[in-house]
Amino acid sequence: MRRRLEALALAAALLGSGAAWAERVVHTEKSAYRNILVVEDDDRRCLRFGRDARVAQTCVSLANPDELRFDYYRMLLGALYLGPAPRRVLVMGLGGGVMVSVLQKLLPQAQIDCVEIDPAVVRVAGSHFNFVPGPRTQVFTEDGRVFIKRALRQGRQYELILHDVFDHSYIPEHMVTKEYFTELHGVLAPQGVIATNTFSWSSLYASESATHHSVFGPFFNLVNPKRHNRVILARKGGLPPMAQVQARARELDGPLRRFGVTPEWLLPLFDADTRWPEGTRVLTDKFAPANLMNARP
């Protein structure tokens, strides 16, 4: 029951205000991993996982492809405030391809690798969400953690990692642990930045915070109270001072405004003083998130 209630809260967060909207199904298929639906109304098209779920993984404007329909898209782009323009970028989770498409426009000289476990999602992103990998973009269809382990062995490094990996209910359990984040830390270049999409309502909030801190140290916690979105921003080697973040935000103001990202909206969300109860247990491969989500109060 607890998981069901949290899944419903997640759906409300992903769908914005939660207001009802007339929709029609324009595509459906069952992949090896999930049921995939594409639905739309007069002004937006959304990707869902799960035939009966109200969870939208991606929504785009049918009239304006540069309009970012979810606040967390804009919050993830706050990672660009933490350093110079990255030359190698890793996007974990494709969805409809929104973030990769935006990065291709913002960083045309960057090498972008994207990892998506489901080849059906890659096909649907292209056929229904106008996702076209650019000449410097490569999409890998495999489990994200397997990809990271191989990247570690190969010595591959990235200046920016956007982590937006969800199934029909939440982040896969093997991709929220200390061991996994240690592997991600290993593929970050010196002063590389990682942005992780999660949710402020989750019963894992404290443990997710403690787990991130145990690997990356201090982080910026971005929470949008109106949408329950939460994005964690960390930098290898420590966070830059806020004055430097603000200066970088001014430099990027012009390019990012195209996508509705403005310093006056985004900077107030930056919080470097996140707290969690003393003794909060760090998530590990042996202590899975399900242990907490199913725990009795």
Side-chain angles (χ1 to χ4, degrees), residues 153-274:
R153 292 195 301 269
Q154 296 173 345
R156 198 179 309 172
Q157 292 197 316
Y158 298 91
E159 283 90 13
L160 174 63
I161 298 176
L162 298 187
H163 196 271
D164 185 21
V165 180
F166 283 82
D167 57 24
H168 66 283
S169 59
Y170 202 57
I171 305 169
E173 291 184 356
H174 67 302
M175 301 181 81
V176 291
T177 67
K178 180 176 181 178
E179 293 88 343
Y180 172 62
F181 284 119
T182 299
E183 293 162 0
L184 284 174
H185 187 274
V187 300
L188 270 178
Q191 296 193 323
V193 177
I194 180 168
T196 304
N197 181 33
T198 177
F199 288 91
S200 63
W201 56 262
S202 172
S203 59
L204 300 177
Y205 186 98
S207 285
E208 286 176 344
S209 300
T211 303
H212 273 79
H213 190 272
S214 72
V215 176
F216 298 105
F219 56 82
F220 287 119
N221 198 54
L222 281 63
V223 175
N224 184 345
K226 295 182 179 179
R227 297 288 184 263
H228 305 289
N229 297 117
R230 180 196 194 198
V231 167
I232 299 172
L233 300 181
R235 191 178 72 165
K236 191 172 187 176
L239 293 176
M242 197 61 197
Q244 184 176 323
V245 174
Q246 293 167 341
R248 182 65 176 154
R250 291 191 293 270
E251 292 175 9
L252 292 172
D253 190 14
L256 287 178
R257 276 186 185 269
R258 171 182 178 182
F259 302 100
V261 182
T262 63
E264 54 266 30
W265 178 79
L266 189 53
L267 284 176
L269 300 181
F270 277 63
D271 180 10
D273 192 31
T274 304

Side-chain angles (χ1 to χ4, degrees), residues 96-97 100-101 104 125-126 129-135 137 139:
V100 176
S101 296
Q104 288 180 160
F129 294 89
N130 298 317
F131 172 64
V132 179
T137 297
V139 179

Side-chain angles (χ1 to χ4, degrees), residues 7 10 14 33-35 49-50 53 55 57 166-170:
L10 172 61
L14 287 172
Y33 297 95
R34 53 177 68 94
N35 290 313
F49 297 156
V55 177
Q57 303 291 332
F166 283 82
D167 57 24
H168 66 283
S169 59
Y170 202 57

Side-chain angles (χ1 to χ4, degrees), residues 26-28 38 45 60 62 123-131:
V26 297
H27 178 77
T28 181
V38 180
R45 177 174 292 171
V60 297
L62 296 174
R123 292 195 302 271
V124 169
S127 62
H128 290 81
F129 294 89
N130 298 317
F131 172 64

